[in-house]
Amino acid sequence: MEVFLQVLVNGLMLGGLFAIIGIGLTLIFGIVKVINFAHGEFLMVGMYAAFLLTTALDVHPYTTAIAVIPLLFVFGMLTQRFLIQPLMNARDDHIQIFVTVGLSTALINLALLVFGAEFATTPPSGLRTALEIGPVRVLVGQLVVFGAATLLVVGLTLYLNNTQFGRAIRAVAQNRAAARLMGINVNWVYIVTFGLGAACVGLAASLIAPLYPTSQTIGTYFVLIAFVVVVLGGMGSITGAFLGAMVIGLIDSFSAYYIGSDLREVAVFTVFLLILILRPQGLFGGRQTLSHVS
Amino acid sequence: MTDQTLTPVQSPPSIRLRGLVALVTVLAAMLLLPVAIGDEFIYHIFITMCIFAALSTAWNIVGGYAGQLSLGHAIFYGIGSYVGVMLVGMGISPWIGMFAGAALAALVAVAISYPCFRLHGPFFTLATIAFLEVFRVLALHFRDVTGGATGMMIPLNIGWEWMVFRERLPSLIIAFGMLLVILAIAWWIRTNRLGFQLIATRERESAAKAAGINTVRVKLYAVAISAALSAMVGTFHAMYLTFIEPASAFSLPFSIQIAMFALIGGIGTVFGPLLGAVLLVPITEFARGALGGEAIGLHGFVYGVVLVLVALFMPNGVMGLVSRFFDRTKAEAPGQAGAIAKLPAQPEPDDIPGPPKAVPEPGDEIVRVVGLDKHFGGLHVTNNVSFKLREGEILGLIGPNGAGKTTVFNMISGFLKPDGGEVSVRAADGGWRSPVTPADYAAIGVGRTFQIVQPFAAMTVEENIMVGAFHRHHSTDDARHAARQTAERMGLARYLDAEANSLTIGGLKRLEVARVMAMEPRVLLLDEVMAGINHADVLRAIDLMLSIRDTGVSIIAIEHVMQAVMALSDHVIVLNSGRIIAEGKPNEVVRDPDVIEAYLGKEFTHDA
Amino acid sequence: MGWSKTLKATVAAAAMMTATPALAEVTFGALFPFSGGLALLGEESARGLEIAVDEINARGGVQGEPVVLERGDAVDNNQAIGEARRLISRENVVAIFGSYSSSRSIAASQVAELAGIPYFELGAVADEVTGRGFDYLYRLNPTAEDMGEMIIEMIVEQVAPALDIDPTELTIGILHEDSSYGTSVASHQNRFAAEAGLNIVTTLSYPANIVDMSSLVLDLKEREVDVVLQTSYQNDSVLFLRQRHEAGFEPAAIIGSGGGYSMQQTADAVGTDLIEGVLNIDFTQYVVNTEFTPGLEEFVETYRAKYGEDPRSGHSLTNYVGALAVLEAIDSAEGLEPAQIRSAVDAIDIPAGTTASGNGVWFDENNQNQRARMMGLQWQDSRLVTVHPADAAASELRLGD
């Protein structure tokens, strides 16, 4: 029973980690409707930035968020403006995918060039301290990630529902042409949304950096999981992404313990494929996200 | 936006000849250069080039023709490698193993693609990546079968039987031979029925369905062929490497690379992937030599940046540039100048069309619609709609915007499933059938157009019509012949070689009808073919429809242009808010107060 | 047409670019992964080879001719084959040294075998490298099998006595990353443990890029494992060492198999407390009884002078010793023909404990060096100290404080 509880908690904490990375992706994927294969590399860039700032200024890793979030926000906006937007009207989405794949390859190798193949370890600053709550143990840093993911979901949902610009973003997500007719500057909305998505990753980077060693390949692992989370949650659904992340975290944790750690990826991707095939609108998505009848 | 229309088929002979010379030169160089230089390393580069060109060409059948961006093609390559190596271990020649691998890969491809092809756009890509990961992990896990992470080796038995050689020429000959075979298959597909159907499916899936294409089935053909070919290359490459392991056989970067050669060469073109590999492989190899050892990561960084730049500024790849060059020559040729297809001025018929010519007596019923019902959420868009269509009759379907006309069309052509009610169509043999899918409807002879025109943008006018003609004809020549006849009849003969996109709206509407007519339908569903075209064109369209009707085709037409409705229809149905509010002869229906109210609002009925 | 001309021009230009005129020097190939994910230790391995070449050249080269190294970048298997071909046909190397990575070595060595060019493996550990019946492939470094054997030997001879427990009563858990490296070491651990009658309670594998190992840690904890054997790269070493601590899992001993366990960055990442006392098996490292490794200090000096930093791992040392032995043998050969090189190399007989790594050289019928062995190491006071075997040990094993 204790083991079960611990596996459960581990799964939820892992879910928090996937959620905070997946939320940014669901904004980009759901609203701009671009597959950003470089999403994981955004995380990597953020983590390297957090590492550099923490070690250079000798500050707590969390404080780097003040700089990393705006950095990633601008980085995301530039990506959308100069790499994606010119191809928004391309007849098929292949080209956009290739751009992000190219960006991802370039960033990974740039990191290799700048930082070498060694790992960069941000000081844990006490965040890897385990708390014993009853029979289970969790890390301070994991709890923070989990809490931050929850707050991010609430905050973004409020923002999208209650602000002028948030509503504009939703309008664009629903119907780009109609939104344009309503006088919304669609391209600008895309740029800001992409920036927001990247900024979420910036927050994730500052929170995750003290927990995991940073390497140039850290993004490649997370990006596939993040896509699974987003598809599971339903395109563009922030709450969905959060719940999807929890599901994947639990599947990962339970399959690793009860089936075998070498097959956890098979378990995660099998669930992903089943969802794609049986419920392409996502576990928590509305019905219309994918319906497409001419 | 695309130059994918450049196929050897429709280019004038001189350009075809030049293209052929270019192709033969490249291919000959690929074989003869290494032989002439006689250097082992050069051999290796050319073998690698052939392998990548072959894989990329095979990928292109799915990724280019069918427009399904697979980033998991290493699955099939890996299956070919593993099956080949395992069978060699049992003493079976890779020449046999190659086909075993191909068969297995085709099966796997169909099994994993069938569910995925229901997904659109990025989801298919994600699913292929996920499947690739699953295959890699499974190959690692089942060590008894696959050797696990340490991989498998083949014994170094030298000789043709085992595809292992001390000298390099035989390997090059095999790789080159495979490339030729795969190019020939890709070319054959592109110039035949399957290719037309694939590209039509890629361009406009719904229009392709309306043209009677079973879109899922043709995509499955494509993926099976592509997977089988990839697997055969995989078997050969495994023999060439003599060693395989899951990390390299089921590799995502490798899959991306395959797709990238096609992108850079020109996605969807027959020879683009070849060109991409021929240009990129040597550059990559030498660049690696020049950059790789110095600063780690520099080479990969340059590679990524180049990929971004190509995608941004050369989305049609090298073939785009090449065909632009050809297009210029084409433009200079007389009679081909500018593909602007404004409709030709025709002798204007009388402003007000005379009374319909002697209308043939409507024959037996051919379509029966009983009690159709459809809800969208809380909206009752079709409410107990029933009507009949007789042979040789034109049935006008009118009603204000949002009345549910197009929904009814979608339900009587298989694009929407009704919540209730039944549609039956009398087949040519006289029996009554209830078709379900668009393909069923097309098969029984119901053809439709779309309110918003759906041309296959990457195709010429002739090719567009051929897509319809392929419904009846299997050979390309027959389909072309039929398409030309149809074009003649529809007044599109002058624009056969023009890109569909260059037509005016009137031209596009006629193209839409022509494509359906090429299917030789017995029942024609026309959705606002006259909306948005000028007066002269309306008059011509009326004549056209009457002439179609006179050949014995029954027509249901949704129309807003009242003049046309009055002139054309033998019978009119008026829909409002999902239900039939009036029905009868055209001149009776327009006097019906309900109809006037529906169109103009309540106050007008009193005045009327 | 235009593009075919471009192609020809490219090939021709490249051919000119890479062709080097043959001078009176002897060229050897250095085939390592210099880019991509394996670049760090590939480069480190190559440095050892470079120092060996410098030393030989300082002594007057091989058979009176200076030695030149031509690098080949084996970034993936297809590339390893291509670069091997280039080195052989274009650079006319007399032999190839390689390759750190086992799969690159397996792929590239068959090219050399078919071309009849000697291939000297200095660092790849997988069993499959030798044992294919190749005539021209020699391996100088100890193997995964030796690693497995050494670990079990160390448990029986050192760990169990230090814990004051009969070795068969220890519960042992094996944890390994799922590539060829982890898989083959783990399978040898299992085999030798079975032969020694040890109790292996579980064998868990995972992908090296894993981000969470809490489930594995929990599994080991539930099974009350006393000794954990992990075969891992850096990321997963750091992750395990941290997560086992966070989960409150305190095995009596943790034994790594090179990889991440030999790297200073791993120690830095997890901190002094967590790395202290952790055991490891690897090539010879730098804190060792130098009576067993004469020349080690000079090697480190030379390395510092040449590269401006301390050696980053033991790979350079092992590559240096192996390469030096081969180059010396070739120097004394009758000529540079493959057959002459082979007979000179076949005749090498260097006893253990006389080289900078302590490894001797003597090839068996599979051309595997039988006098190269791994060493048992322990992190003591943040340094990786040799503790096994006894004649190489720089310090006593510290366990069960």
Side-chain angles (χ1 to χ4, degrees):
Chain A
M1 189 60 206
E2 277 177 27
V3 172
F4 179 84
L5 276 180
Q6 184 67 52
V7 175
L8 182 77
V9 170
N10 288 346
L12 289 176
M13 290 302 121
L14 204 54
L17 178 66
F18 295 157
I20 204 163
I21 297 166
I23 288 167
L25 190 65
T26 204
L27 277 180
I28 295 172
F29 191 35
I31 292 163
V32 193
K33 307 218 162 52
V34 167
I35 288 205
N36 179 20
F37 272 108
H39 193 74
E41 280 61 52
F42 283 24
L43 179 73
M44 173 196 76
V45 169
M47 285 175 74
Y48 272 116
F51 162 74
L52 286 179
L53 289 170
T54 309
T55 46
L57 306 176
D58 197 20
V59 291
H60 191 280
Y62 285 176
T63 52
T64 62
I66 301 168
V68 174
I69 292 174
L71 175 80
L72 267 284
F73 184 69
V74 172
F75 189 50
M77 297 217 302
L78 293 177
T79 305
Q80 168 66 23
R81 173 63 189 85
F82 292 106
L83 299 185
I84 311 287
Q85 188 174 305
L87 299 172
M88 271 323 255
N89 294 318
R91 203 166 35 80
D92 53 41
D93 36 31
H94 293 188
I95 301 292
Q96 295 158 21
I97 292 177
F98 277 112
V99 166
T100 60
V101 167
L103 181 62
S104 151
T105 311
L107 287 175
I108 289 175
N109 285 284
L110 185 66
L112 198 61
L113 204 55
V114 175
F115 296 95
E118 290 98 341
F119 280 58
T121 311
T122 313
S125 314
L127 297 169
R128 287 210 75 112
T129 314
L131 295 178
E132 289 194 50
I133 305 168
V136 298
R137 286 163 162 264
V138 280
L139 299 185
V140 178
Q142 285 181 320
L143 278 178
V144 173
V145 167
F146 191 90
T150 317
L151 286 178
L152 197 58
V153 170
V154 175
L156 274 176
T157 310
L158 287 176
Y159 177 76
L160 289 180
N161 286 330
N162 296 317
T163 65
Q164 182 87 20
F165 201 80
R167 280 193 288 266
I169 290 178
R170 281 171 49 223
V172 171
Q174 303 238 317
N175 191 331
R176 173 171 152 187
R180 184 168 282 138
L181 288 177
M182 284 154 58
I184 295 173
N185 182 343
V186 173
N187 281 338
W188 178 243
V189 167
Y190 281 154
I191 290 172
V192 173
T193 308
F194 212 105
L196 277 179
C200 293
V201 178
L203 174 65
S206 286
L207 299 183
I208 294 171
L211 298 180
Y212 295 99
T214 307
S215 70
Q216 71 278 355
T217 52
I218 188 136
T220 48
Y221 180 85
F222 281 116
V223 72
L224 279 181
I225 295 283
F227 273 116
V228 172
V229 160
V230 167
V231 169
L232 210 58
M235 283 243 289
S237 162
I238 291 162
T239 331
F242 184 82
L243 295 175
M246 291 304 139
V247 170
I248 293 300
L250 290 173
I251 290 172
D252 191 311
S253 179
F254 278 95
S255 64
Y257 186 80
Y258 291 103
I259 299 177
S261 49
D262 57 335
L263 288 180
R264 67 206 291 177
E265 272 184 305
V266 173
V268 167
F269 285 120
T270 304
V271 170
F272 170 65
L273 291 168
L274 284 177
I275 297 287
L276 265 187
I277 291 158
L278 301 178
R279 231 186 116 77
Q281 70 272 28
L283 264 192
F284 313 101
R287 277 200 58 83
Q288 307 196 337
T289 36
L290 278 173
S291 63
H292 169 89
V293 176
S294 64
Chain B
M1 103 124 240
T2 174
D3 294 301
Q4 290 165 351
T5 43
L6 184 90
T7 63
V9 198
Q10 85 262 5
S11 311
S14 67
I15 290 173
R16 247 165 86 182
L17 191 67
R18 268 198 198 155
L20 197 66
V21 169
L23 178 68
V24 170
T25 312
V26 169
L27 287 175
M30 285 178 80
L31 190 61
L32 297 180
L33 262 184
V35 177
I37 299 172
D39 178 301
E40 294 244 322
F41 178 56
I42 299 292
Y43 267 115
H44 170 75
I45 290 184
F46 278 76
I47 292 168
T48 306
M49 209 189 279
C50 288
I51 287 170
F52 271 114
L55 284 172
S56 193
T57 306
W59 176 89
N60 195 38
I61 296 172
V62 175
Y65 299 174
Q68 298 288 322
L69 181 54
S70 159
L71 289 181
H73 245 56
I75 297 171
F76 313 122
Y77 162 86
I79 289 176
S81 304
Y82 268 92
V83 169
V85 172
M86 283 176 196
L87 291 182
V88 168
M90 296 176 202
I92 299 171
S93 161
W95 293 103
I96 298 167
M98 188 181 256
F99 290 96
L104 183 62
L107 275 180
V108 169
V110 170
I112 65 181
S113 305
Y114 179 69
C116 290
F117 278 158
R118 298 185 6 220
L119 309 170
H120 290 270
F123 295 93
F124 177 74
T125 306
L126 287 175
T128 56
I129 295 175
F131 270 118
L132 180 61
E133 286 296 303
V134 168
F135 267 84
R136 192 178 55 76
V137 174
L138 291 178
L140 285 172
H141 183 76
F142 292 103
R143 294 165 57 187
D144 300 341
V145 188
T146 63
T150 39
M152 299 175 101
M153 270 168 284
I154 56 162
L156 292 186
N157 304 329
I158 312 284
W160 277 92
E161 191 189 352
W162 302 104
M163 285 192 195
V164 179
F165 310 96
R166 233 172 250 290
E167 63 279 20
R168 289 297 131 205
L169 182 59
S171 294
L172 179 66
I173 290 173
I174 296 176
F176 185 73
M178 292 184 106
L179 172 63
L180 282 189
V181 169
I182 292 176
L183 276 176
I185 292 173
W187 181 82
W188 184 88
I189 290 176
R190 178 60 186 86
T191 51
N192 277 278
R193 190 167 182 241
L194 181 57
F196 279 81
Q197 296 186 328
L198 284 171
I199 289 172
T201 303
R202 175 190 77 196
E203 293 294 312
R204 301 264 180 182
E205 185 148 9
S206 39
K209 281 182 183 165
I213 299 170
N214 186 333
T215 54
V216 170
R217 189 187 298 160
V218 296
K219 284 193 277 187
L220 287 179
Y221 284 146
V223 81
I225 294 170
S226 173
L229 297 176
S230 303
M232 293 171 86
V233 180
T235 306
F236 166 72
H237 200 203
M239 300 304 130
Y240 181 70
L241 295 172
T242 70
F243 163 65
I244 52 170
E245 51 172 356
S248 57
F250 296 107
S251 146
L252 178 59
F254 185 70
S255 302
I256 293 176
Q257 216 176 357
I258 293 172
M260 220 183 62
F261 287 126
L263 169 81
I264 289 173
I267 285 188
T269 59
V270 178
F271 300 109
L274 168 71
L275 207 52
V278 164
L279 289 179
L280 245 71
V281 169
I283 293 175
T284 314
E285 296 283 324
F286 289 116
R288 212 196 301 266
L291 299 173
E294 301 311 315
I296 56 169
L298 181 58
H299 163 256
F301 176 67
V302 172
Y303 204 52
V305 170
V306 167
L307 186 52
V308 170
L309 292 179
V310 167
L312 277 178
F313 300 111
M314 228 170 67
N316 292 321
V318 181
M319 274 310 255
L321 297 181
V322 174
S323 58
R324 207 169 299 161
F325 166 75
F326 281 134
D327 274 352
R328 235 194 351 259
T329 12
K330 197 155 85 174
E332 287 157 14
Q336 297 286 338
I340 306 109
K342 201 174 177 320
L343 289 175
Q346 279 237 337
E348 289 272 317
D350 296 337
D351 242 356
I352 297 145
K357 290 161 230 159
V359 181
E361 269 310 298
D364 300 329
E365 287 170 12
I366 189 164
V367 178
R368 281 185 202 146
V369 175
V370 183
L372 275 191
D373 250 318
K374 185 75 193 172
H375 294 264
F376 286 149
L379 216 59
H380 203 168
V381 285
T382 306
N383 186 355
N384 194 23
V385 167
S386 308
F387 58 85
K388 295 183 181 103
L389 176 70
R390 292 171 183 282
E391 233 167 2
E393 178 184 54
I394 298 183
L395 178 65
L397 189 55
I398 64 171
N401 284 327
K405 304 183 294 288
T406 298
T407 307
V408 169
F409 253 38
N410 283 339
M411 285 189 286
I412 60 175
S413 56
F415 280 84
L416 263 185
K417 212 187 219 140
D419 296 339
E422 207 192 340
V423 181
S424 28
V425 180
R426 187 162 54 85
D429 61 13
W432 287 87
R433 311 275 152 74
S434 296
V436 182
T437 63
D440 293 347
Y441 277 94
I444 206 167
V446 179
R448 71 166 291 185
T449 67
F450 290 88
Q451 182 181 359
I452 297 161
V453 288
Q454 303 213 353
F456 304 122
M459 290 180 165
T460 61
V461 167
E462 179 180 68
E463 289 173 315
N464 264 274
I465 305 174
M466 281 171 76
V467 171
F470 272 121
H471 183 60
R472 294 277 172 208
H473 305 277
H474 275 257
S475 94
T476 312
D477 288 340
D478 292 351
R480 190 185 309 282
H481 183 69
R484 286 192 173 152
Q485 275 188 336
T486 311
E488 191 73 42
R489 211 166 131 207
M490 308 295 294
L492 287 167
R494 291 184 54 186
Y495 312 109
L496 282 177
D497 283 334
E499 273 198 37
N501 269 356
S502 64
L503 295 181
T504 58
I505 184 69
L508 286 171
K509 295 257 179 190
R510 272 195 292 166
L511 178 59
E512 189 86 8
V513 179
R515 193 174 62 216
V516 183
M517 288 308 295
M519 296 167 67
E520 296 167 26
R522 295 159 57 237
V523 177
L524 188 55
L525 309 181
L526 300 174
D527 197 346
E528 296 205 23
V529 288
M530 297 181 197
I533 61 176
N534 64 38
H535 184 65
D537 283 347
V538 167
L539 298 176
R540 298 189 58 239
I542 291 170
D543 277 353
L544 191 64
M545 281 169 68
L546 289 172
S547 75
I548 292 172
R549 194 266 315 270
D550 291 347
T551 61
V553 178
S554 322
I555 300 178
I556 305 180
I558 295 181
E559 226 23 279
H560 268 305
V561 180
M562 272 322 221
Q563 174 201 20
V565 177
M566 304 300 291
L568 277 173
S569 309
D570 301 306
H571 198 80
V572 172
I573 289 172
V574 187
L575 269 183
N576 190 24
S577 304
R579 52 170 85 239
I580 296 178
I581 56 167
E583 197 173 349
K585 294 273 174 226
N587 44 6
E588 294 162 10
V589 165
V590 288
R591 285 190 214 106
D592 188 310
D594 285 346
V595 176
I596 295 165
E597 180 189 327
Y599 267 92
L600 302 171
K602 233 181 174 69
E603 59 273 30
F604 284 89
T605 35
H606 301 302
D607 298 342
Chain C
M1 307 271 5
W3 25 287
S4 74
K5 264 186 211 154
T6 320
L7 165 73
K8 282 183 205 155
T10 312
V11 172
M16 278 183 274
M17 207 167 68
T18 44
T20 40
L23 297 173
E25 50 191 27
V26 186
T27 310
F28 287 89
L31 188 63
F32 294 92
F34 289 113
S35 60
L38 302 175
L40 177 66
L41 290 179
E43 175 70 32
E44 181 66 19
S45 302
R47 287 181 176 183
L49 171 60
E50 284 172 355
I51 292 174
V53 167
D54 288 352
E55 192 171 323
I56 281 289
N57 282 338
R59 291 191 219 156
V62 164
Q63 297 176 16
E65 313 280 357
V67 174
V68 174
L69 277 183
E70 180 62 37
R71 280 185 169 210
D73 181 9
V75 68
D76 58 36
N77 295 346
N78 191 49
Q79 185 67 21
I81 286 182
E83 290 288 87
R85 293 238 152 89
R86 181 175 68 81
L87 292 172
I88 292 167
S89 72
R90 187 158 280 282
E91 310 298 341
N92 297 316
V93 297
V94 287
I96 294 176
F97 291 99
S99 324
Y100 168 57
S101 153
S102 298
S103 53
R104 307 295 182 274
S105 179
I106 291 169
S109 58
Q110 60 91 1
V111 173
E113 180 70 17
L114 288 175
I117 295 292
Y119 191 103
F120 297 103
E121 181 51 57
L122 303 174
V125 298
D127 309 322
E128 287 78 3
V129 174
T130 45
R132 284 179 287 166
F134 281 13
D135 292 330
Y136 293 90
L137 173 69
Y138 292 82
R139 173 156 58 181
L140 288 111
N141 59 290
T143 65
E145 181 175 13
D146 187 57
M147 205 167 229
E149 189 177 4
M150 187 59 105
I151 287 180
I152 302 305
E153 184 184 305
M154 191 161 73
I155 293 174
V156 173
E157 292 179 10
Q158 296 232 31
V159 176
L163 296 170
D164 203 14
I165 187 171
D166 185 80
T168 54
E169 286 172 22
L170 287 169
T171 52
I172 301 172
I174 294 177
L175 202 57
H176 67 92
E177 60 86 32
D178 64 6
S179 83
S180 147
Y181 157 57
T183 315
S184 57
V185 172
S187 71
H188 290 301
Q189 289 171 345
N190 266 308
R191 185 161 62 86
F192 284 111
E195 282 172 14
L198 302 188
N199 178 23
I200 305 281
V201 291
T202 184
T203 302
L204 303 171
S205 72
Y206 58 84
N209 63 354
I210 192 167
V211 294
D212 179 70
M213 292 178 84
S214 51
S215 299
L216 292 102
V217 170
L218 206 56
D219 195 352
L220 295 171
K221 191 181 173 189
E222 286 304 301
R223 292 173 194 271
E224 296 179 346
V225 166
D226 299 318
V227 178
V228 176
L229 311 182
Q230 189 184 13
T231 309
S232 48
Y233 292 111
Q234 196 186 355
N235 164 58
D236 40 339
S237 306
V238 171
L239 208 55
F240 173 72
L241 290 172
R242 280 177 169 179
Q243 291 200 316
R244 71 111 198 120
H245 170 71
E246 290 149 11
F249 170 49
E250 304 287 349
I254 297 170
I255 310 179
S257 305
Y261 277 85
S262 298
M263 304 185 75
Q264 187 61 43
Q265 287 131 9
T266 308
D268 296 343
V270 299
T272 320
D273 293 349
L274 295 192
I275 201 73
E276 191 64 20
V278 167
L279 293 160
N280 183 20
I281 298 287
D282 202 349
F283 294 156
T284 310
Q285 303 289 318
Y286 299 97
V287 185
V288 59
N289 179 358
T290 46
E291 282 175 25
F292 189 72
T293 59
L296 175 66
E297 281 140 338
E298 291 81 352
F299 170 78
V300 176
E301 291 285 308
T302 315
Y303 188 107
R304 274 198 205 118
K306 188 170 167 75
Y307 300 108
E309 59 181 329
D310 283 335
R312 293 169 291 185
S313 79
H315 288 86
S316 46
L317 177 61
T318 300
N319 276 259
Y320 158 76
V321 169
L324 194 62
V326 170
L327 289 169
E328 282 170 346
I330 294 176
D331 184 34
S332 63
E334 287 167 15
L336 294 170
E337 290 306 310
Q340 294 164 327
I341 292 178
R342 277 188 61 200
S343 58
V345 171
D346 281 335
I348 301 178
D349 184 356
I350 301 174
T354 61
T355 66
S357 68
N359 286 333
V361 183
W362 183 80
F363 292 106
D364 66 8
E365 68 279 4
N366 279 332
N367 295 343
Q368 167 63 42
N369 180 5
Q370 284 298 317
R371 295 210 185 120
R373 296 227 58 191
M374 297 281 178
M375 291 201 181
L377 311 151
Q378 185 173 34
W379 284 96
Q380 296 182 353
D381 308 318
S382 299
R383 292 193 318 163
L384 196 54
V385 176
T386 309
V387 294
H388 187 85
D391 41 4
S395 168
E396 291 284 303
L397 181 84
R398 299 181 198 158
L399 268 189
D401 39 4

